[in-house]
Amino acid sequence: MAVADRALCEFAAKLTRHNDEMEPDDLDALREYGFDDRAIHDAVQVIGYFNYINRIAHGLGVEPETFVRPWGQQ
């Protein structure tokens, strides 16, 4: 995994698990890896959407679809 990808994953994990701890430095860290403001905006939108829709699904007791294979399996 590229270092920029890892930085984005760490950002996503923090936004997901500790969103109340996000600071401007978290954005600056992504910029240091070459992410511009548009890329950061898009990433936050996607991360936020997945967090939202997963909470809706879990809150309503939606069962996973059986035709979807786990990631990385053929």
Side-chain angles (χ1 to χ4, degrees), residues 15-70:
L15 184 57
T16 299
R17 295 182 179 133
H18 306 286
N19 57 57
D20 58 327
E21 298 175 11
M22 298 301 292
E23 298 180 356
D25 288 347
D26 296 307
L27 303 175
D28 291 337
L30 289 180
R31 289 184 185 108
E32 289 177 15
Y33 287 102
F35 294 96
D36 62 13
D37 287 348
R38 172 107 188 231
I40 294 169
H41 173 270
D42 292 350
V44 169
Q45 291 286 336
V46 171
I47 295 161
Y49 174 75
F50 274 91
N51 287 332
Y52 165 77
I53 204 65
N54 281 323
R55 281 165 180 74
I56 295 295
H58 292 149
L60 295 175
V62 175
E63 294 292 326
E65 296 163 333
T66 57
F67 65 87
V68 177
R69 287 184 238 132

